[in-house]
Amino acid sequence: MLGIIIDSISTFMYSKLLVILLIGAGIYFTIRTKLPQMRLFKDACKAVVEKPEDENGVSSFQALMVSTASRVGTGNIIGVSSAICIGGFGSVFWMWIIAIIGSASALIESTLAQIYKRKGKDGECYGGPAYYIEAALHCRPLAIIFCISMIATYAFGFNMLASYNLQSTFSGFSFYDVKWTPWIIGGILAVITGWCLLGGGSRIIKVTSTLVPAMGVAYILISVIVMIINRAYLPVVFSKIISEAFDFKAIFGAFAGSAMMQGIRRGLYSNEAGIGSAPNASASAQVSHPIKQGLVQMLSVFIDTLLLCTATAMMCLSSGIAPAQELQGAPWVQAALHESLGNFGPLFITVAMVLFAFTTLLGNCFYCDNLLNYIHKGQPSKTFMKGFRIVSALVVFIGAGMEVSMLWNISDVLMGVMALINIPVILILSNTALKALEDYEKQKKNGENPVFKTRNIGLEYETDYWS
């Protein structure tokens, strides 16, 4: 009964509210910022490799890896597989559209996180939606509601889902026992995750900064190899992606299960643009101008969807194994790679899933540190944080043995609450980010390395970093 109620709420929120909010905001920001996805792509690439003035500070690259660790996860494999198996080839096209449109929202929200970030007692930068909600709108209760909803989403909903998806990739192996294996794998994962979490934010940053680039490059290389092997199928694949994307009869006849809806849902779940999660990592970076980190986060959306989600889609669709609802999730991906790469295929996807899920767990919990700092108006006690991280590890263990459809629906609903708060807020505050963009481009035009000061945009709010 609970599953039916949650499913109904989830479908309603996405089909009636979230799709309108997220796509509408993305289109609005794309127009207002004059298509930065293309116009400022080169600047985004340069900003990634900039070093902070303080050699001990968090760099743009490190902040990018933390946010990408959370974005790039099991949704890039399991989510893409499920979307195509339910919605068909056309789902891929709508994932692309969501990535392009959503990247403008990522630019705005991460820029705001940088402008309104605060300096903690430990000297680190803290920021995100909660901080700019209170600073600009003077509404701490709303900011706390956002924090609580995000902690519930990431430390619980998404982490349980990642844990389940990870253990499910072992289902094709002979040793897998549906009764015991999920709990054994969940227990091992919980212990390793707990070890990383108890090391604090610095350990999380070090682990993700090493694993995320390595696994991303390896995954894309394997996808290219598979596409080369199956190159004869690619023209048909692209043709079907476009033709099914605009099958309006199918779209309006069964909206919830259509290519459009599945592509939008999984695209939003995967890249998280506009949801309010990535700004928590963006604020930690030390940059000379807020727009630089906004551009870096725009790039993170491209990495997530246009590269990694597309890599999964192309590996599977070019294999010749037809998508079907009974194969959705790991089984279709494993069958497709087995067809192209033999026994190496399922083994590779299992390793990829383990790494993707693990870095997702760490990235999600890094966000929670920032949120708890805000709620407590400073760093919580070591005892409290130790207890929270132990609970987070236990959640990973529990998620491994739960029912998958309920986990998807819980995650969708919780993420929806975040979006319903964050999108209206960044729309209200967008003029501040747009003025910052004008200031950035003006300095670039004059041949300067952009350096931000609040007086340049007439911002009266007293900031910790930009006054």
Side-chain angles (χ1 to χ4, degrees):
M1 185 64 179
L2 178 61
I4 294 172
I5 293 172
I6 292 175
D7 185 58
S8 299
I9 295 172
S10 175
T11 301
F12 172 79
M13 290 181 71
Y14 267 91
S15 62
K16 303 297 182 182
L17 291 174
L18 295 185
V19 169
I20 294 172
L21 270 176
L22 291 163
I23 295 180
I27 292 173
Y28 172 76
F29 291 136
T30 297
I31 294 170
R32 289 293 307 275
T33 53
K34 301 174 184 176
L35 202 67
Q37 301 93 327
M38 311 300 175
R39 194 167 55 83
L40 298 175
F41 182 79
K42 187 176 179 181
D43 286 41
C45 294
K46 287 182 179 179
V48 171
V49 297
E50 279 195 14
K51 301 290 184 183
E53 290 185 9
D54 180 1
E55 61 180 23
N56 295 318
V58 176
S59 67
S60 287
F61 176 77
Q62 288 175 317
L64 172 67
M65 289 303 102
V66 172
S67 62
T68 304
S70 179
R71 279 191 172 116
V72 175
T74 54
N76 295 82
I77 301 175
I78 302 295
V80 172
S81 168
S82 298
I84 297 172
C85 286
I86 297 171
F89 283 58
S91 303
V92 179
F93 175 83
W94 293 107
M95 288 182 201
W96 294 339
I97 295 300
I98 285 298
I100 295 169
I101 292 173
S103 60
S105 299
L107 166 64
I108 296 296
E109 64 181 355
S110 292
T111 296
L112 289 171
Q114 272 286 327
I115 292 174
Y116 292 104
K117 68 184 179 181
R118 308 296 297 184
K119 182 178 288 185
K121 292 180 181 179
D122 57 357
E124 299 293 331
C125 309
Y126 295 96
Y131 291 83
Y132 56 67
I133 288 171
E134 181 178 5
L137 301 183
H138 311 292
C139 189
R140 181 171 170 81
L142 181 62
I144 290 177
I145 291 171
F146 178 87
C147 288
I148 293 170
S149 65
M150 185 167 172
I151 290 170
T153 303
Y154 282 78
F156 297 93
F158 283 4
N159 277 3
M160 285 194 293
L161 182 58
S163 179
Y164 176 89
N165 286 337
L166 185 152
Q167 67 82 18
S168 71
T169 60
F170 291 91
S171 61
F173 293 92
S174 59
F175 65 80
Y176 190 90
D177 183 301
V178 70
K179 201 172 185 180
W180 300 107
T181 308
W183 299 111
I184 293 171
I185 295 173
I188 295 170
L189 181 61
V191 169
I192 298 173
T193 302
W195 176 79
C196 288
L197 295 182
L198 291 171
S202 59
R203 184 177 292 172
I204 293 172
I205 289 173
K206 288 177 182 177
V207 172
T208 55
S209 296
T210 302
L211 285 181
V212 172
M215 74 183 187
V217 170
Y219 195 73
I220 291 169
L221 284 175
I222 292 295
S223 71
V224 170
I225 291 170
V226 171
M227 284 188 282
I228 291 173
I229 294 171
N230 301 318
R231 58 190 178 278
Y233 292 102
L234 291 178
V236 176
V237 168
F238 280 104
S239 176
K240 291 192 72 174
I241 286 174
I242 300 301
S243 63
E244 290 191 19
F246 295 97
D247 184 353
F248 291 107
K249 184 178 179 181
I251 288 172
F252 294 109
F255 187 57
S258 68
M260 177 184 283
M261 196 57 185
Q262 287 301 314
I264 288 171
R265 286 186 69 181
R266 293 284 69 84
L268 294 175
Y269 174 83
S270 181
N271 67 52
E272 302 174 15
I275 301 299
S277 55
N280 292 275
S282 300
S284 66
Q286 295 187 15
V287 292
S288 65
H289 200 289
I291 288 295
K292 290 183 178 181
Q293 196 57 33
L295 292 172
V296 168
Q297 291 308 318
M298 183 180 75
L299 197 63
S300 179
V301 175
F302 292 158
I303 293 170
D304 173 86
T305 307
L306 297 184
L307 283 181
L308 293 168
C309 284
T310 300
T312 299
M314 292 298 109
M315 281 194 292
C316 294
L317 292 173
S318 66
S319 68
I321 304 295
Q325 289 205 28
E326 58 270 19
L327 289 175
Q328 64 174 294
W332 184 47
V333 182
Q334 290 174 326
L337 263 70
H338 186 273
E339 182 70 18
S340 301
L341 301 174
N343 291 332
F344 173 75
L347 180 61
F348 169 76
I349 210 65
T350 299
V351 172
M353 278 290 294
V354 169
L355 293 176
F356 280 168
F358 181 61
T359 55
T360 295
L361 294 170
L362 296 184
N364 291 349
C365 290
F366 178 87
Y367 289 160
C368 292
D369 283 10
N370 185 48
L371 297 165
L372 290 169
N373 279 344
Y374 176 81
I375 293 173
H376 283 79
K377 294 186 177 180
Q379 287 182 293
S381 68
K382 290 183 178 180
T383 302
F384 176 87
M385 288 306 299
K386 185 176 181 179
F388 177 79
R389 285 164 178 156
I390 291 171
V391 170
S392 298
L394 288 174
V395 165
V396 170
F397 172 70
I398 293 169
M402 286 188 69
E403 204 271 318
V404 65
S405 61
M406 181 175 285
L407 288 175
W408 275 114
N409 291 330
I410 290 172
S411 299
D412 282 348
V413 171
L414 290 172
M415 187 173 72
V417 175
M418 291 172 55
L420 289 172
I421 296 173
N422 188 59
I423 289 293
V425 169
I426 63 175
L427 284 167
I428 292 169
L429 301 179
S430 60
N431 279 338
T432 299
L434 292 168
K435 287 178 182 178
L437 179 59
E438 290 176 11
D439 175 63
Y440 171 85
E441 294 195 270
K442 181 180 178 181
Q443 293 187 54
K444 287 286 290 185
K445 190 175 181 180
N446 293 335
E448 305 169 9
N449 177 33
V451 176
F452 184 69
K453 298 293 180 185
T454 52
R455 63 176 178 270
N456 293 351
I457 64 170
L459 184 65
E460 296 181 0
Y461 178 76
E462 189 70 26
T463 65
D464 285 2
Y465 288 89
W466 311 111
S467 299

